[in-house]
Amino acid sequence: MQLRSENVLAKSLSRTIYAVPNNDSRAYLNGLLLDVKDGQLTLVGTDGHRIAVAKTAATIKGDDGEFILPRKTAVDLARLVGDSDQTVTIAMSSTAVRFSFGDFALTARAIDGRFPNWRQVMRQAGDEGVVVSVAALRGVLQRVSILTESKFQGARFAVGDNGSRLLLESTNQGQEQSVDEITVSPINGHAPKDIEVGFNIHYLTEVCGAMGGENCRIDWIDSSRGFLISDPQDSTTEHLVMPMKL
């Protein structure tokens, strides 16, 4: 299998590694899934609370398949690949994988186990949602996080005023409260229904760090299905963050 350039692989890794846990009791989650299917390589990371998916076209010789790459190897690979246009060759079996590019070659053994059915969890983008500046969202998350409980990092996330205002609110055990808001834009000018839902601020902040563009699209179906977050200008990457009870 071949990818057209190192920078394509570097981008996919940077968009997904953050969602892979360091030391989960479920060993199969401690790795990044390489999913080869229909002429496409998809990288998937999840800890059960959020999922990051990055897709890229690939020249494939052989059968479709899956491989769970250990997190440490994925991190090492991300450090090695650069922004060059050199082709990346990936040789993958059921137990090992080898990445070759430029003067480098990296080999790793697979994590044994069955990765969750991420396609069943991920959903199509909906009509209810907003577009927001990544920098503005990151800023409001950082400000509100000051008064969140360090253990749970939960905050109330609300969209109102016909999809023009996003409000975040957190309260700690001392009943100290932090409230902040930013201006957002409805998707395609369609005003969404108001929504209130709890989220882990740390998870949303990490999604902001993995975004490549200036804006992000946040859409939802209802308060129980999580937020699907993507770059309006890049359909190859998506992030799903599940809600939490406050």
Side-chain angles (χ1 to χ4, degrees), residues 24-79:
D24 197 283
S25 59
R26 298 159 293 182
Y28 53 83
L29 290 185
N30 295 317
L32 192 66
L33 178 69
L34 279 62
D35 188 326
V36 180
K37 187 177 178 66
D38 299 331
Q40 194 170 61
L41 171 65
T42 303
L43 302 188
V44 185
T46 183
D47 61 2
H49 303 288
R50 65 259 179 92
I51 303 176
V53 176
K55 301 176 182 180
T56 184
T59 302
I60 300 171
K61 296 180 180 180
D63 298 330
D64 294 346
E66 294 185 352
F67 185 96
I68 304 178
L69 184 69
R71 186 184 191 279
K72 183 180 183 303
T73 305
V75 171
D76 289 341
L77 183 61
R79 290 171 178 159

Side-chain angles (χ1 to χ4, degrees), residues 148-155 173 199-202 244-245:
T148 58
E149 291 297 330
S150 58
K151 182 178 180 180
F152 300 107
Q153 289 283 299
Q173 288 184 340
F199 276 102
N200 183 303
I201 284 184
H202 176 67
M244 66 180 293
K245 292 182 179 181

Side-chain angles (χ1 to χ4, degrees), residues 17-230:
I17 287 178
Y18 79 90
V20 180
N22 280 309
N23 190 27
D24 197 283
S25 59
R26 298 159 293 182
Y28 53 83
L29 290 185
N30 295 317
L32 192 66
L33 178 69
L34 279 62
D35 188 326
V36 180
K37 187 177 178 66
D38 299 331
Q40 194 170 61
L41 171 65
T42 303
L43 302 188
V44 185
T46 183
D47 61 2
H49 303 288
R50 65 259 179 92
I51 303 176
V53 176
K55 301 176 182 180
T56 184
T59 302
I60 300 171
K61 296 180 180 180
D63 298 330
D64 294 346
E66 294 185 352
F67 185 96
I68 304 178
L69 184 69
R71 186 184 191 279
K72 183 180 183 303
T73 305
V75 171
D76 289 341
L77 183 61
R79 290 171 178 159
L80 289 173
V81 292
D83 293 329
S84 80
D85 292 328
Q86 293 187 95
T87 300
V88 178
T89 301
I90 305 174
M92 191 171 73
S93 70
S94 60
T95 59
V97 64
R98 179 181 177 87
F99 297 87
S100 303
F101 48 94
D103 297 326
F104 293 99
L106 182 66
T107 302
R109 292 188 63 81
I111 292 178
D112 190 28
R114 188 171 181 81
F115 201 82
N117 187 346
W118 63 273
R119 286 188 173 87
Q120 189 175 40
V121 178
M122 291 297 288
R123 59 175 176 78
Q124 296 295 318
D127 294 328
E128 300 286 331
V130 296
V131 175
V132 57
S133 158
V134 174
L137 179 59
R138 183 189 292 113
V140 73
L141 288 168
Q142 290 174 343
R143 293 191 295 272
V144 172
S145 69
I146 295 173
L147 290 181
T148 58
E149 291 297 330
S150 58
K151 182 178 180 180
F152 300 107
Q153 289 283 299
R156 184 173 68 92
F157 187 110
V159 176
D161 292 345
N162 294 317
S164 65
R165 182 173 63 94
L166 184 155
L167 180 143
L168 272 86
E169 175 186 327
S170 66
T171 305
N172 60 23
Q173 288 184 340
Q175 297 303 307
E176 296 174 303
Q177 188 179 56
S178 176
V179 181
D180 208 333
E181 64 179 59
I182 53 176
T183 300
V184 297
S185 301
I187 294 174
N188 299 324
H190 169 69
K193 298 175 183 176
D194 292 355
I195 188 171
E196 288 190 13
V197 62
F199 276 102
N200 183 303
I201 284 184
H202 176 67
Y203 292 166
L204 292 175
T205 301
E206 286 198 316
V207 171
C208 287
M211 298 298 296
E214 294 183 357
N215 297 316
C216 66
R217 168 182 170 141
I218 305 174
D219 73 69
W220 57 86
I221 294 176
D222 54 49
S223 61
S224 66
R225 299 282 295 277
F227 278 0
L228 187 65
I229 305 174
S230 59

